Amino acid sequence: MVRRLSRGAIAAGLVWMASAGAVSAAPAMWEVRDRDSVVYLFGSMHVLRPDVRWRTRTFDRAYAAADRVWFETRADLPADQVRALVDRYGVDPDRSLTQKLSPTALATLRPVLDRDGVPLERVERLRPWAAAMMLSVAPMAREGGEAASGVDAATTRRARAAEKPIATFETFEQQLRVFAELPEQAELDYLDDVAREQLSPPRDGVALERAWLRGDMGRLGGRLADRMRVQRPALYDALLRRRNLAWADRLDAEMRQGGGTDLVVVGALHMAGDEGLPALMKARGYAVRRIQ
């Protein structure tokens, strides 16, 4: 069971913020425009409770106008492919997790596993980043959160049903390799950060859930993206900065071809700050305005 949970959690938890309860909301959204092209940027949550009502008229209008919808990666990859890739990049057959952890980090991790009823032995072969991902998603799962209700999966189903074209910035394998290619210390720092967060809830959780639903990018950027950039620069560079730059270059190339409308649905942190997608597209000379 824990093995299945870890695979699903890793696939679902590539952005580690949860959602709130049954409330209406207006998550942040931008319009990027030039003479003959429009791109709508929507900051998503990958894991949500089924009762979260996040869609708005503004989002639905953008979706209806879009000739194509972009995602970070496929949200409907077959389960057997997900399992194979997670096993390839998230498991270490040679060195156990406890061999990599310091005594202090192990002492922090143990009570989190005990709380969730997970014996340490059952995560021993996970790489630190994979263990961190599993832990980050567990509280969402306990509260009813699921990837199937997340923005990406729900919008993918909607687009598939309507036969609306879908594009992705990365393959799922490329996305896992972002984590797998982290320096080992960055992986260990990530796991330790997640474990400490779990030991002292609600440090940021509720505030960040509400911030996303309200579209409060100042709080999201300040509490997560900016803090990561200062405290965990290697993690920030790999997970946000380099990927944002690559995605902005891709969108720039698409807009230069001209004549279309696209909707981009990626994790909310990719929209935050002066290295988020809205700022990067503005720096490339496009007209950018917040529409929600």
Side-chain angles (χ1 to χ4, degrees), residues 13-292:
L14 293 171
V15 167
W16 49 91
M17 296 177 293
S19 70
V23 296
S24 297
M29 191 172 184
W30 291 260
E31 177 192 82
V32 181
R33 183 181 290 273
D34 65 6
R35 181 176 57 83
D36 57 359
S37 304
V38 180
V39 170
Y40 295 104
L41 301 174
F42 184 82
S44 79
M45 286 285 190
H46 302 317
V47 178
L48 291 171
R49 289 173 51 168
D51 59 357
V52 174
R53 297 188 297 273
W54 57 267
R55 279 175 51 184
T56 64
R57 291 181 181 178
T58 299
F59 179 88
D60 284 343
R61 284 195 295 266
Y63 171 85
D67 304 306
R68 176 173 50 182
V69 185
W70 290 77
F71 299 97
E72 295 180 33
T73 191
R74 280 188 59 181
D76 58 352
L77 196 68
D80 60 336
Q81 294 183 37
V82 172
R83 286 193 295 270
L85 288 169
V86 169
D87 283 345
R88 179 177 179 182
Y89 292 104
V91 172
D92 186 342
D94 300 319
R95 294 174 62 218
S96 69
L97 192 60
T98 48
Q99 286 178 301
K100 300 173 185 177
L101 294 174
S102 69
T104 300
L106 184 59
T108 302
L109 178 62
R110 280 187 181 277
V112 177
L113 294 175
D114 291 344
R115 181 201 60 194
D116 292 335
V118 179
L120 179 62
E121 294 75 18
R122 296 183 72 174
V123 296
E124 273 282 53
R125 290 302 166 188
L126 289 180
R127 289 186 53 171
W129 75 262
M133 196 68 68
M134 185 189 75
L135 291 181
S136 69
V137 175
M140 308 177 204
R142 286 197 302 271
E143 295 299 319
E146 55 188 23
S149 296
V151 174
D152 308 72
T155 307
T156 294
R157 289 193 301 272
R158 188 180 181 189
R160 297 284 189 211
E163 298 185 345
K164 188 183 286 284
I166 288 174
T168 61
F169 292 107
E170 302 164 341
T171 66
F172 186 59
E173 181 172 10
Q174 287 172 327
Q175 199 167 66
L176 291 187
R177 285 179 63 181
V178 170
F179 289 89
E181 293 173 359
L182 287 169
E184 184 170 287
Q185 189 56 52
E187 285 192 62
L188 293 169
D189 290 342
Y190 177 30
L191 176 57
D192 194 54
D193 287 346
V194 170
R196 290 180 184 278
E197 183 96 5
Q198 300 269 328
L199 285 177
S200 56
R203 180 180 173 187
D204 278 333
V206 172
L208 290 172
E209 293 163 3
R210 292 174 179 168
W212 176 73
L213 286 165
R214 290 198 309 265
D216 185 349
M217 292 305 298
R219 183 176 292 270
L220 288 177
R223 292 220 177 182
L224 284 179
D226 289 349
R227 189 170 66 198
M228 191 192 306
R229 176 162 51 182
V230 172
Q231 298 179 2
R232 305 299 187 202
L235 198 62
Y236 174 85
D237 186 65
L239 301 191
L240 294 178
R241 191 186 70 83
R242 281 187 284 160
R243 295 168 76 205
N244 289 353
L245 287 169
W247 299 353
D249 286 345
R250 184 85 175 272
L251 293 174
D252 182 33
E254 294 290 336
M255 293 187 75
R256 287 181 185 276
Q257 294 180 11
T261 299
D262 292 271
L263 171 63
V264 173
V265 178
V266 297
L269 284 190
H270 293 286
M271 305 296 176
D274 58 6
E275 291 182 308
L277 282 178
L280 291 176
M281 295 306 289
K282 185 175 182 178
R284 283 160 173 74
Y286 295 99
V288 179
R289 69 184 182 102
R290 177 87 176 259
I291 60 173
Q292 176 170 285

